[in-house]
Amino acid sequence: MDDKDFLAERFEENRAHLRAVAYRMLGSLSEAEDAVQEAWIKLSRSNADEVGNLGGWLTTVVGRVCLDMLRSRTHRRESPLESTRVPDPIVGSAEGDPEHESVQADSVGLALLVVLETLPPAERLAFVLHDMFAVPFDDIAPIVGRTPAAARQLASRARRRVRGQTPEPEADRAKQRAVVEAFLSASREGDFEALLRVLDPDVVLRADVGAGKLGVSQVVCGARAVAEQALRFRDFAHAGRLVSVNGGIGIVNVPEGRPLSVAGLTIADGRIIEMDILADPDRLARLDFEFLED
């Protein structure tokens, strides 16, 4: 094995970790893969013999790449509809298909990713690297161009926002499934009162249809408004199938066998408190739905 092959092998040992870092940073599966690939390019062009801790070095490189991508995304953001952007979901079989277990293990709740989307890039990086991957502030500081103390403050501000806005979800998948099935049943039957019983009074629905597509990305708040929305799309409820969305039970709508939308549902105390729906055809086309053929 030559040096390049050995380096590639060591990089592959870190790929899953790097993908997890990039996904939490970017909320985009395709951009996460791009960031990981950029890290490989930088590694292949560097003097790897001088790198003592390859995993740590690669993590900080991916962090830098993701920070640049986030800042570029912020500069491009012109439409107010971007505020309803739903991160890419990690979708798998609701039955725990072993093929998807490794990917699911890298996932985090969609509700948390939605909150991370609202953070300034530097805060997001400091929080993700330190709180999720235990990267020391001494290593984070040069990435964001701050002192270690300032990097600590970035993470602290992000942590307060995350704790204040991220609900504590139901961890029991069987209980999740019962709530989601009740929601689907009520939607299919057009039972408004049953929908109200399964929705939290302060439920929030986010729908992301993509820029320039037919329809309007939106945020809907409150049980009655969300129930009315569900009844408006009652016909699609019959095409709903249970799937795993970022480790929880969600719904994919597949009329005529073609995925039309994916919904991640956050459940607490037996009710749905958050619904994050991706219905952007371009982004849906990049997701893996092969398990639906099973």
Side-chain angles (χ1 to χ4, degrees), residues 25 28 51 62 66 70 77 83 91 119 149 194:
M25 281 291 300
S28 166
V51 178
V62 166
C66 290
L70 285 176
R77 186 170 296 171
S83 62
V91 188
L119 299 178

Side-chain angles (χ1 to χ4, degrees), residues 20-29 73 85-90 106-119 124 128 132 162 166 206 246 274 276:
V21 171
Y23 176 61
R24 286 159 172 76
M25 281 291 300
L26 300 168
S28 166
L29 294 168
R73 181 193 294 174
R85 183 181 185 276
V86 172
D88 287 351
I90 296 179
D106 287 342
S107 68
V108 292
L110 208 56
L112 173 57
L113 287 174
V114 168
V115 176
L116 292 180
E117 290 283 326
T118 69
L119 299 178
R124 184 169 184 170
V128 168
M132 295 185 171
V162 167
T166 306
R206 299 178 188 86
N246 287 59
E274 190 168 309
D276 296 295

Side-chain angles (χ1 to χ4, degrees), residues 183-190 209 214 228-242 251-263 275 277-279 284:
F183 173 80
L184 268 181
S185 177
S187 298
R188 290 165 177 164
E189 295 171 8
V209 302
L214 295 177
E228 290 170 357
Q229 188 83 346
L231 293 184
R232 192 171 301 130
F233 292 92
R234 175 183 176 184
D235 291 343
F236 292 106
H238 293 278
R241 293 181 58 176
L242 298 188
I251 302 169
V252 58
N253 277 311
V254 282
E256 300 178 355
R258 180 177 61 87
L260 189 67
S261 67
V262 177
M275 303 178 67
I277 302 172
L278 178 64
L284 285 172

Side-chain angles (χ1 to χ4, degrees), residues 1-10 13:
M1 180 183 295
D2 60 26
D3 290 345
K4 188 172 182 179
D5 288 340
F6 178 68
L7 191 63
E9 183 177 282
R10 293 186 66 195
E13 292 172 355

